[in-house]
Amino acid sequence: MFSIGLTGGIGSGKSTVADLFAARGVPLIDADLIAHQITAPGGVAMPLIAGEFGDGFIAADGSLDRAKMRALVFADDTAKARLEGIVHPLIRAETERQRLAAQGAYHIVVVPLLVESGEWASRVSRVLVVDCPVETQIARVMRRNGFTREQVLAIMAKQASREARLAAADDIVINNEIATRDALAQQVDALHARYLSLASA
Ligand code: ADP
């Protein structure tokens, strides 16, 4: 099973790059999407979260009250660890299921916090980092999410540094402020060819 773990800081361009691989027929497994699904109404994590944190964290439709949980875990590392103790094994199991079911020579697992969560690096064949300067990252997220600079900085403070991410990279996509869509596509084409050849070796 040849697995590429795709990661990058918020606003680096992970989704943009992942979509380019998908357009080349590469199966994508998205850890964030899985996290969302297990905490949607009827999601497998919901009874466990209600048991651990109480019904106050469950929205009227049965999904996780994301705003409330985000506020709690942002301020309280113990609560964050308790939440992760519930959701991480479920995300891991579902990712594994999708990885085994994936068709094609290789697949991509998009994991925003791959470098931060340690265990992931050993579960993928290669780590692909989407990189851009910190100021570009800030500008993109302010534009995309309508956040203030301070809000973006607060999120980034909880993520690995650009340097730590690059140190963990086997491969890098450069998605800086001058990267055009064509430039990105060229980098993805080169990586795709490389991954196909590595997967068949
Ligand atoms: P991530 O998934 O890492 O948070 P996205 O792929 O969503 O990042 O990109 C963040 C934002 O920046 C999006 O609005 C995206 O359209 C934009 N963006 C990404 N790469 C570029 C680029 N090379 N040039 C201009 N805008 C970009």
Side-chain angles (χ1 to χ4, degrees):
M1 185 161 61
F2 199 70
S3 253
I4 306 299
L6 189 156
T7 192
I10 183 168
S12 59
K14 290 178 296 295
S15 311
T16 307
V17 170
D19 288 348
L20 289 169
F21 278 100
R24 286 152 181 77
V26 180
L28 287 188
I29 299 158
D30 184 332
D32 258 5
L33 180 65
I34 293 171
H36 208 271
Q37 287 166 343
I38 65 174
T39 52
V44 288
M46 293 317 298
L48 300 169
I49 291 174
E52 179 71 27
F53 293 94
D55 289 341
F57 286 87
I58 315 296
D61 66 357
S63 66
L64 176 65
D65 185 333
R66 289 175 209 287
K68 199 167 168 187
M69 185 58 87
R70 203 178 298 121
L72 176 70
V73 301
F74 213 80
D76 178 350
D77 283 346
T78 322
K80 181 165 180 270
R82 280 158 58 213
L83 178 67
E84 289 176 352
I86 295 172
V87 296
H88 279 180
L90 295 171
I91 295 171
R92 195 154 51 231
E94 178 56 18
T95 323
E96 217 45 42
R97 193 192 66 71
Q98 293 189 18
R99 286 203 315 163
L100 291 168
Q103 306 288 317
Y106 75 96
H107 57 258
I108 290 199
V109 196
V110 186
V111 189
L113 299 180
L114 184 146
V115 173
E116 293 80 347
S117 62
E119 55 156 304
W120 268 103
S122 60
R123 296 176 63 220
V124 294
S125 315
R126 296 181 79 80
V127 174
L128 172 59
V129 168
V130 183
D131 179 61
C132 74
V134 167
E135 282 305 324
T136 309
Q137 219 183 328
I138 297 170
R140 283 186 191 147
V141 180
M142 287 176 67
R143 202 178 317 126
R144 182 189 63 188
N145 298 53
F147 289 170
T148 63
R149 184 181 179 85
E150 288 63 39
Q151 283 173 311
V152 184
L153 288 173
I155 295 168
M156 288 173 61
K158 300 271 180 182
Q159 300 192 341
S161 66
R162 183 182 184 192
E163 293 69 28
R165 225 178 272 113
L166 288 173
D170 294 300
D171 306 302
I172 298 167
V173 170
I174 296 169
N175 186 28
N176 57 22
E177 58 290 352
I178 58 164
T180 59
R181 206 169 163 81
D182 273 357
L184 277 187
Q186 274 179 29
Q187 294 180 72
V188 169
D189 278 334
L191 286 167
H192 182 49
R194 178 129 173 263
Y195 293 155
L196 286 175
S197 121
L198 286 170
S200 67

